[in-house]
Amino acid sequence: MYYFKCLRVFFIILSLIICSCSEEKNNFVLNGSQKKWQPITLTFDGPQVSETDSINPFLEYSLLVRFSNGDEQLHVLGYFAADGDAENTSAVSGNKWRAKFSPNKTGTWKFDAYLMQGEDIAVTPFVEPEKGNTLWKVSGDFEVTEADSTANGFYGTGKLAYVEDHYLRASETGKAFLKNGVGSPETFLAYYEFDGTVKKEGAYTPTLNNGLHEYPDHRKDWKSGDPTWADGKGKAIIGALNYLASKGMNSLYFLVMNEHGDGDNIWPWIDPFEQRRYDVSKLAQWEKVFTHMDGLGMAMNLFTQETENDTILNKGELGLERKLYYKELVARFGHHLGVVWNLGEETNRTPEQLKSYASYIRSIDPYNHPIAVHNHVRITGERFQGRPLDPIKETLTPLLGFKDFEIPSLQMYDTTEVHTEVLKWRNLSRKNNRPWVTYLDEIGHWDIGITTDTASNNNYAQVMRTSLWGSLMAGSAGNSWYFGGLDTPNNDMAAENFRARDKWWAISTIAKDFFENHLPYDEMECRDNLLSNKKAFCFAKKDEIYVVYLPKDETTDLQIGDGTYSIAFFDPMAGGKLRDRQNEGWKITKPNSVELSAYNDEKNKDWVILIGKSQ
C-alpha cells in the first residue's frame, strides 16, 4: 500500500512538471444557443485518463471556470467527460473535460478556465489556480442575447429562484411557481436503458422486470425530435415525462442514490462500493433526461439519499466521499433551471449534519438553488424503531432562520393534519426572518398514498380536500403525489404506467390552474379565523378577495369587510368555469358576515367559493 501511495505521488509530481502551467487561447469548443438561461457547454482537451486510472480523474483533477460579465462573476465547477460523447459511446476514458453554464445575463461573458491537479483537489474549496497546481489556463469570451420568450419550459421563464418569499419565482418572468408534482416512483432513474444500471441481488423491487423500470406504455409518448442516446435508447422514459407534462405536472421527485436502500438500483458510481469513481456515460444519459425536463418546465426535486442509506457516505458526516458526491452532482447538473437539492428522504441525520451538507452545497453551487429536507412521518401516540414522537418538529425547528435552507419537504401520516402543519411552518419561518417555501411531498399511510383510478379504495375525494386544497389554502407552494408502498402494480417503486392515475392528475391540475388563473395567491394568506366552521378553509387578501373551501354537507359564515362583492362557485373535482349562484350575478353589499352554502343546494360535493370585491 505504501508503495502504491508513493507511486501515485510520483505521477502527480511528474505530470505537474511535464504540464507546467501554460495559457492557451481558444483551445475550447463552445456549444449552445447563446441565449439567456439556455445552457452553454464548454469542452476542453486535457489529460487522457479513464474512470479507473491510478490518478483518480474525479478526485485528483479539478476544472474550475470563472465566468464574468460586468459586476457578475460565477465560479462553475467542471467535470471529466471521457470522450465527450459518452452517452452514446459508453466511453470510460478520453481527454475531454467539460463545464456547463446557464447565463443569467445578456452581453459579453468572459471566462478563465483552469485545470488543476493535486491530492483530493476536487473537494478543496475553490483553490486559487495561480498558486502553482494549474496544468493549463484557457481564456475566451462569447455573447449572450436576450431570453427567448417563446422557448419551451424554463428556457423561456428562467431559473426557479428563492427570493425570501413563500414561493419560488421564475427569474425571467418573476412569476411565482406552484408545484404540481409527481412523487413516485422514487426510483424513477432505475431505468433499464441507462448504462451500469442493474438490480442488486436481494434488493426489494416489487413487480418490476429484472428490478428496473421500462415504462413500456409511454414509448408511444415519445415525439420525433425528442432526445435519445446510443442508437435510440431512452424513448420510454422521455415519453413518460412528455405524458406527465401534458397532464399539467411540473415537478418530479426522485432519488439519485439508493445504494443499500429501497430498490438498491440507483447510484452515480461505476460500482456501488466504489464511491470515488463515477460512471461518466450513465451520468451523461441522466443529463439527457434532465435537459428534457428543463424544456418541459418540469422541476427536479433531486433527493441525494434516503433513510435506509444516509450513513453510507462517511457514516453520515461531511467527509471526503460525501463532498465528492455533492461536487459531482453540482458540476454535472447544477446548470439546470428547476433544481431543488434535497438533503435526504425521511432523514435520520442531526441538525448539525444537515447544516453542514447544506452549507457545503451552497458554497460550491454558483446558482444558489434552493435546499430542502424531507422528514420522517409523525405517527400520533407511537414510537417507531426508536424515532422521536414528532420528527417533523425535531428535524425542522433547528433549521428555522438558517441561511442555507429554504424548503421543508413535508411528509404527513394523518392527512387531516396537513392544513395546520403547512400553516405552522410557513408562519414559524416568517417569524424567524427567513420565509420557507413549504412543500407537501408525501402523504400516508405508507401503503396507500394516492390510489390508482380504478382502485376499490379510491381516495381522491378525501385527498383532494385534506391534502391538495388543504395544503394550498394554508399557503403551501405545492405538492408531490406518492403512490403508496404496497406490492401491487403502479405503486411507488413498481410504477410503470403513469396513466393509472390519469384522473388524479386532472384533479391536481384543476387546483393549480384555479390558483394561477383566478388568484393573486402569492399575496394571500390563510384566514381561517374569518370562518365559523372549522372544517372549512379560507385563503384571502383581506378586504379584496376571499376563497373558501367548503366540504360537502357543510355551511359556514364568512366575515368580510365593507364594500360590494361578487360571488362565484367552482367544482374542485370536475373543474370548468366559475358559476354564479343560481346563474344570477348575485352580489353582497356592505355585509359584516355572509352565510355560504353549496351551489344550487348541491350538498353532496365539495365547493370552492370565490368572493371578490367588485371593480
Side-chain angles (χ1 to χ4, degrees), residues 51 78 124 183 364 405 510 536 585:
E51 293 171 350
T124 303
I364 62 174
F405 182 81
I510 284 168

Side-chain angles (χ1 to χ4, degrees), residues 115-143:
L115 185 66
M116 299 169 285
Q117 187 176 13
E119 187 172 358
D120 300 342
I121 196 168
V123 296
T124 303
F126 292 128
V127 174
E128 288 297 324
E130 292 81 2
K131 291 188 177 178
N133 55 358
T134 301
L135 301 182
W136 50 246
K137 172 185 176 184
V138 176
S139 299
D141 59 70
F142 52 88
E143 294 294 320

Side-chain angles (χ1 to χ4, degrees), residues 95-238:
N95 71 336
K96 302 303 180 186
W97 300 77
R98 182 165 285 168
K100 293 264 192 176
F101 175 57
S102 175
N104 61 354
K105 189 176 180 180
T106 61
T108 302
W109 282 90
K110 300 179 180 179
F111 70 85
D112 294 309
Y114 304 85
L115 185 66
M116 299 169 285
Q117 187 176 13
E119 187 172 358
D120 300 342
I121 196 168
V123 296
T124 303
F126 292 128
V127 174
E128 288 297 324
E130 292 81 2
K131 291 188 177 178
N133 55 358
T134 301
L135 301 182
W136 50 246
K137 172 185 176 184
V138 176
S139 299
D141 59 70
F142 52 88
E143 294 294 320
V144 171
T145 59
E146 291 289 346
D148 180 359
S149 61
T150 66
N152 292 328
F154 295 129
Y155 296 134
T157 60
K159 179 189 72 172
L160 291 184
Y162 173 73
V163 292
E164 298 186 355
D165 192 6
H166 292 296
Y167 301 90
L168 301 181
R169 290 187 182 270
S171 296
E172 185 66 19
T173 64
K175 182 180 177 181
F177 180 74
L178 201 61
K179 183 172 78 163
N180 189 26
V182 185
S184 290
E186 65 179 31
T187 56
F188 182 77
L189 293 181
Y191 178 61
Y192 80 115
E193 291 184 317
F194 287 140
D195 286 354
T197 301
V198 297
K199 170 195 171 184
K200 283 172 65 178
E201 189 171 347
Y204 173 65
T205 49
T207 70
L208 289 180
N209 183 33
N210 297 320
L212 299 177
H213 294 290
E214 297 185 13
Y215 309 119
D217 294 290
H218 292 292
R219 187 170 292 271
K220 63 187 176 184
D221 297 309
W222 182 89
K223 300 174 183 177
S224 178
D226 284 345
T228 59
W229 58 87
D231 298 323
K233 291 182 178 179
K235 288 184 178 180
I237 194 171
I238 294 295

